[in-house]
Amino acid sequence: MEKRLNKMILCVGRKGTGKTTIAQQIAKVSQKKICVIDTDDHPSYSDFELFNENNLHKWKSGNIRIITSEPEKVLDLLNKKCSNAFIIIEDAAKIVSANVQREVKSFIIDHRKRNFDVILMFHFLADVPPYVAKQYDYMLLFKTGDSLAVAQNKFANWHSILPMLQRILNHPSFNYCEKINVDD
Amino acid sequence: MNDTIHDSVKGLLQDISRPTEERAPQADKIQPEQAADTTKTKDAGPETKPEISEEMIETGADLTIGLYDFSQTTLFSWLVKNKKDKRIIRLYGEGALDKLEMLINEKEASEDSKASVQVIRSFTIDEIAMLKITKKTDEILNGLPMTEQEKNLIKVPLMEMMKQHGGTLPPSWALILGFLQISGARVGELLMF
């Protein structure tokens, strides 16, 4: 069977558009253990075991969620002690900002070495830092309230994103989303 | 959520459901796709050294200490026993070892301490001296294996050193340990008794 590379997926959309639902579907089909990193307790992940970041080296199986005020520490520990997992970073704008810390950057850059698939959740395209915009494999775009002028400077393939975004914004369903693949 | 959404992510779900190549956490292999792909504009980022997990280093340190402890205990046990036998033969003659064995059996056969004292009282001074040497040898041998406390004391600096050398014991250190073990055994043999 053809092997695939580990993927970095961006999920961009306003609250309530269904980002988390899709992220869970994607993570589950990968058949990898899932780790959700969040700064708040998201009810959608209530069936995931609440895990202490200091015990990450003991995480061998099962789906977990880590609620932390120090996400950079969690990413650093994941990078050092874990492998072969699906990582969902909720509200990534709080974690993966433009002035990103070294640990976070290492995690983003090295996620393939650790056999991690990563989903980064953003509310706005404008929140996606430039170095993430250069690295992602897929983007799932939902309805956003973006300022197009800010967002267009971030993405090299903006010419593909713009018509997609317009289709999404004009679509009658609030949950409508489209996928963009940088390899296409 | 409507079907349109599921259609839009169908390709992504199919892609994700394909297994990724299982790799050890520290594997630094370049995927063929990655190596061949020169058209992608992605920023691969700076080359970083693969990290060795704390758990792996700890296992490595445990194994190193265990191996050292095992080889040292085996080597010293043989040396101490050999030295004791030679000394007893030198002091008390060729048949002394057989006699010693008999004395030990006799002593161990006495059921309580009172009977044991009676048996010892019946021994000659030479016989008691032989038993004393045997007792001292046993004490040395019992003290040879490293205690858990000693192992833990060594483990932390060993792990630190291994961390700095990519999770392994540097060859120079392995050589030094080898020398220490050999010279330690020789000095031990000289100082014994």
Side-chain angles (χ1 to χ4, degrees), chain B residues 67-112:
Chain B
L67 186 69
Y68 185 77
D69 185 35
F70 172 75
S71 61
Q72 182 182 252
T73 307
T74 316
L75 186 68
F76 271 89
S77 295
W78 181 83
L79 281 169
V80 171
K81 277 181 187 159
N82 197 35
K83 183 81 181 172
K84 180 203 79 176
D85 290 350
K86 277 183 183 170
R87 189 172 185 220
I88 286 177
I89 291 169
R90 180 165 51 82
L91 290 173
Y92 306 106
E94 279 297 321
L97 286 179
D98 295 333
K99 194 177 177 185
L100 177 66
E101 205 179 328
M102 197 191 72
L103 291 173
I104 292 168
N105 289 338
E106 203 177 325
K107 187 171 162 279
E108 282 175 358
S110 52
E111 284 172 1
D112 54 48

Side-chain angles (χ1 to χ4, degrees), chain B:
Chain B
M1 206 155 294
N2 60 36
D3 288 340
T4 327
I5 293 167
H6 292 285
D7 287 344
S8 68
V9 293
K10 209 173 163 185
L12 173 54
L13 291 175
Q14 277 170 354
D15 186 13
I16 293 294
S17 64
R18 283 208 316 270
T20 47
E21 191 177 347
E22 290 290 331
R23 278 175 288 173
Q26 287 71 37
D28 198 11
K29 233 188 310 181
I30 296 169
Q31 295 280 341
E33 246 179 80
Q34 231 174 346
D37 191 352
T38 51
T39 55
K40 266 190 187 177
T41 53
K42 286 183 185 181
D43 178 12
E47 274 297 311
T48 52
K49 217 177 165 183
E51 293 275 358
I52 311 267
S53 73
E54 191 87 0
E55 228 172 313
M56 290 175 79
I57 292 173
E58 195 175 346
T59 312
D62 281 336
L63 283 172
T64 309
I65 294 169
L67 186 69
Y68 185 77
D69 185 35
F70 172 75
S71 61
Q72 182 182 252
T73 307
T74 316
L75 186 68
F76 271 89
S77 295
W78 181 83
L79 281 169
V80 171
K81 277 181 187 159
N82 197 35
K83 183 81 181 172
K84 180 203 79 176
D85 290 350
K86 277 183 183 170
R87 189 172 185 220
I88 286 177
I89 291 169
R90 180 165 51 82
L91 290 173
Y92 306 106
E94 279 297 321
L97 286 179
D98 295 333
K99 194 177 177 185
L100 177 66
E101 205 179 328
M102 197 191 72
L103 291 173
I104 292 168
N105 289 338
E106 203 177 325
K107 187 171 162 279
E108 282 175 358
S110 52
E111 284 172 1
D112 54 48
S113 55
K114 211 172 175 183
S116 178
V117 171
Q118 287 295 327
V119 171
I120 292 168
R121 273 185 184 161
S122 68
F123 293 162
T124 64
I125 292 173
D126 281 355
E127 286 168 346
I128 290 171
M130 275 200 284
L131 283 169
K132 271 187 180 171
I133 292 171
T134 310
K135 193 183 169 192
K136 194 173 176 185
T137 312
D138 289 343
E139 277 170 6
I140 293 171
L141 291 182
N142 290 337
L144 271 182
M146 289 162 80
T147 61
E148 283 307 309
Q149 202 183 359
E150 285 169 336
K151 283 181 186 173
N152 288 334
L153 209 66
I154 294 173
K155 200 162 127 182
V156 178
L158 184 64
M159 278 173 69
E160 281 303 314
M161 192 177 72
M162 288 171 85
K163 255 185 226 172
Q164 287 168 14
H165 293 86
T168 57
L169 197 63
S172 55
W173 277 90
L175 199 66
I176 290 167
L177 278 178
F179 272 125
L180 279 177
Q181 204 161 3
I182 293 164
S183 56
R186 284 172 195 274
V187 173
E189 194 184 14
L190 282 173
L191 296 179
M192 229 171 275
F193 311 123

Side-chain angles (χ1 to χ4, degrees), chain A residues 18-30:
Chain A
K19 297 189 299 294
T20 302
T21 313
I22 292 277
Q24 283 191 6
Q25 282 181 3
I26 294 167
K28 278 174 184 165
V29 296
S30 77

Side-chain angles (χ1 to χ4, degrees), chain A residues 26-38:
Chain A
I26 294 167
K28 278 174 184 165
V29 296
S30 77
Q31 296 183 350
K32 287 180 172 179
K33 56 186 179 184
I34 306 168
C35 173
V36 178
I37 301 165
D38 203 350

